[in-house]
Structures are given as C-alpha cells and as structure tokens.
Amino acid sequence: MQALSVLLAASVAFTLSPVHQLARITPAHLSRHDQPLALATKAKKKSSVKQPMASKSGGGFGKKPDGAAVAAPSAAELLKKSMDLYDQIQRDQRLLVSSGEDGSSDSGSDLGFSVSEYVVTVRLTDCVSEAADAFADWVPICVLNLKCSTSADTRELMPQAIGASVKEILEAGCASVSMLRKAPRTKVQYAYEPIDSYNTHVFEGLFSRSDRKAQALAELGIESGASPADVKKAHRKLMMTLHPDRFVGDEEGAAAANDRMIRVQQAYEELGGGQGSATSGYAAIGGKGRVDFSGALTREQLGALGQPRVAQQMAIDRQGWRCGIYPLEPSVCQEFTLRNVMAAK
C-alpha cells in the first residue's frame, strides 16, 4: 500500500491507461526538446558547483594535496554525459539516413558504421524493498542507441553495452520513479528489445488493443479475466473441433473451419499465447509474434557492471562501439510501475 500511495502521489491526474499522455517512442520523439529537461538541468547544476579556489601562490584551502584521489562522477553526471553521447549518435544516424537518401549509400555501409536503438527494461527479483511491487515485472526505463561497425553483431554487443551503462540506466529510472533508489542493485535484472518491436508490440499491443482483446476473448468463447490455463484449454478445444480430419469429404466445411482456425490462433496469440502473467505479463504482451524481447540477461552476459569496456575507446572500424542513454518520459515508467502495483494487490 505504501508503494501504491507513493506512485499515486507522484502522478497526479494520472490514470491507468492514459494513451493521450504517452508519447510513442520514435527517434523523432527523442530529441532534446521533446524529452524532460529536468534530468539534464539537474546534472548541469550538480556539475557546475563552484570548487574552492586555490591561491595564486599555490597554497590555501583550495589546493588539493599531491596524490589526492579525484572524486568519481555522480550518477546524474554520468547520465548527463551519456545523454550528450546519445545526441551525438543520433546526429550520426541522421547522417546515415541522408547518405542513403541521396543515393551515395544504401545502408550506411560506405560510412563503415551502423546505429541501432533499443528500449531497456528493468525489474526486481527476490527483493524486500519499497520498490518491490512497483518493479515486480519489467518496466521500460530508457532508450539506448548503439553505434558500431556494420560487421558487428549487435546481439552480442547489447548485453555488454547494458552492463557498462547500468549506473546511467538506473539513474534514468530513479529520476522517473524515485523509490527505485532504495532497491538493492544486486536484485536488479535487465532486458532489452529493438525500439520498433517495442512500438509495435508494447505500445500498440498494450495501449491500443482493448478492442482486439475483447474480440479475441469472444473468438475463444471465454470471459475477461480468464486464467492462462483457461485460455490454453479453450484454444486446444477449438483447434480439435476444427481439425481437418473432421471435415473429410466436406470441402466447404473444411474451408470454413480453416478460416476459423486462423482466427482462433490469432486470438490465442493476442491473449499472450496462453502465457498469461505466470512468468511475466510484460513479456507476454504481443504473444508469440514478439520474438525480439531478450528476457532477463545473465550476469555472465552483462559482464562487469558499471565498468567501461575497452571497445568503447577503440575506433569503430577496429570493432569499437559507442552507446548513449536517454530516459523515457516519466509517465511511461510510472504507467508500468502502477500496473505492477495494482497487479500485486
């Protein structure tokens, strides 16, 4: 109840599915002007705090003793730097697009690099925390863009890019849902999917599918709120009833049954393919047609958390890569955390 009250207080006039308040995620919507400027402003203020000045003679309180350790940048400063890098990579992406439009390059291969965009999600597992219910299932946090050689395998690079950027990713999440700061970092899991997959399956599949879901329920002959087991049972029963063996010698009946089987299968997939929320309601959005969601990345895949990779300093044409992080609109993150809290009640 405490987590729910915090979320409700943080999102005044925020309804459960305010489709008009949620910005569809596309590269054009991720410009600096369309994103919340509070994050950048906060980081800028933090980095511009005046330091004590040393005297001209070299002494005084402002002089740091020889060998003194330099303070590590804060999470907000790291995020600000990553957001700037995101903007730079976006400019590189526009260069790719323009080079393709003028006929000088089909896919950017002549420039030697490619740019891909992904939505990064997080959740908490086996966690006793104020944020446990809010992040019990996946919550979209930010967009990560990855610049690498055209010959590189982005599926192999993405876990490493996320592992190197966990501080920035979590800071983006904390800025939208502050209770995430109290969660143990060892309990956080990470996943990702291409931005096009998110737009098609999550945005449209979740926020624009109420009519399709009602039609799917009617097609399978079940009521709203049916369990995953009920969905699977209804699907199996109908598929057996419509099996071609039951229409031997009845071409007209067989054709009609085939058409109905297609609709039944589509309805089954619309309802999550029978997966329901037993494993993850978020992962089940879009059914079996959503094949690009990575699922939870292992510690082995992520590598050293929060540590820069050598390849981030290497030239792109030498198998180096760069990645930037940009937070999603807070209302998007809050929508999913609120859904998770309501589901846990």
Side-chain angles (χ1 to χ4, degrees), residues 216 235 259 261-271:
H235 171 259
D259 290 342
M261 284 182 71
I262 293 174
R263 296 198 303 272
V264 167
Q265 183 61 31
Q266 291 173 339
Y268 181 63
E269 293 178 3
E270 180 67 37
L271 297 174

Side-chain angles (χ1 to χ4, degrees), residues 33-267:
H33 301 292
D34 292 334
Q35 290 297 323
L37 298 180
L39 295 174
T41 303
K42 180 179 178 182
K44 185 175 181 181
K45 288 181 178 179
K46 211 162 191 176
S47 62
S48 62
V49 175
K50 293 184 178 179
Q51 300 296 329
M53 295 180 62
S55 67
K56 293 183 179 180
S57 63
F61 293 107
K63 178 178 174 58
K64 294 183 179 180
D66 293 339
V70 178
S74 68
E77 291 169 335
L78 289 173
L79 177 58
K80 170 62 167 58
K81 183 177 180 180
S82 190
M83 290 166 67
D84 290 341
L85 181 54
Y86 177 95
D87 283 343
Q88 177 59 56
I89 295 175
Q90 287 298 95
R91 287 192 288 272
D92 293 341
Q93 184 181 41
R94 287 193 288 272
L95 179 62
L96 285 178
V97 173
S98 63
S99 68
E101 289 176 346
D102 63 19
S104 61
S105 173
D106 291 332
S107 62
S109 58
D110 290 350
L111 298 177
F113 68 88
S114 65
V115 175
S116 306
E117 290 190 278
Y118 302 86
V119 173
V120 179
T121 58
V122 302
R123 71 177 179 185
L124 299 174
T125 58
D126 302 321
C127 176
V128 179
S129 165
E130 180 183 343
D133 287 346
F135 288 87
D137 201 355
W138 298 108
V139 175
I141 292 297
C142 64
V143 175
L144 182 153
N145 60 4
L146 178 66
K147 177 183 177 181
C148 60
S149 166
T150 53
S151 63
D153 185 347
T154 56
R155 287 181 177 271
E156 291 185 1
L157 292 182
M158 269 302 294
Q160 287 297 310
I162 292 175
S165 307
V166 293
K167 294 178 182 178
E168 294 88 337
I169 292 169
L170 290 176
E171 180 63 19
C174 292
S176 296
V177 186
S178 60
M179 68 175 67
L180 182 59
R181 295 190 188 280
K182 300 180 181 180
R185 296 304 184 250
T186 56
K187 301 299 184 181
V188 181
Q189 289 188 326
Y190 303 85
Y192 70 93
E193 70 182 307
I195 198 167
D196 289 342
S197 174
Y198 175 91
N199 278 334
T200 300
H201 297 293
V202 179
F203 185 89
E204 295 180 357
L206 185 63
F207 298 116
S208 306
R209 73 170 198 145
S210 57
D211 290 341
R212 297 200 309 272
K213 182 177 179 180
Q215 292 173 1
L217 290 169
E219 190 69 55
L220 295 182
I222 54 180
E223 300 293 331
S224 178
S227 68
D230 291 335
V231 174
K232 187 174 183 179
K233 182 179 179 180
H235 171 259
R236 181 178 297 176
K237 181 178 179 180
L238 284 169
M239 295 300 273
M240 290 179 63
T241 302
L242 300 169
H243 195 277
D245 288 349
R246 295 178 177 269
F247 298 90
V248 176
D250 182 2
E251 294 185 3
E252 185 177 347
N258 183 66
D259 290 342
R260 178 77 194 282
M261 284 182 71
I262 293 174
R263 296 198 303 272
V264 167
Q265 183 61 31
Q266 291 173 339

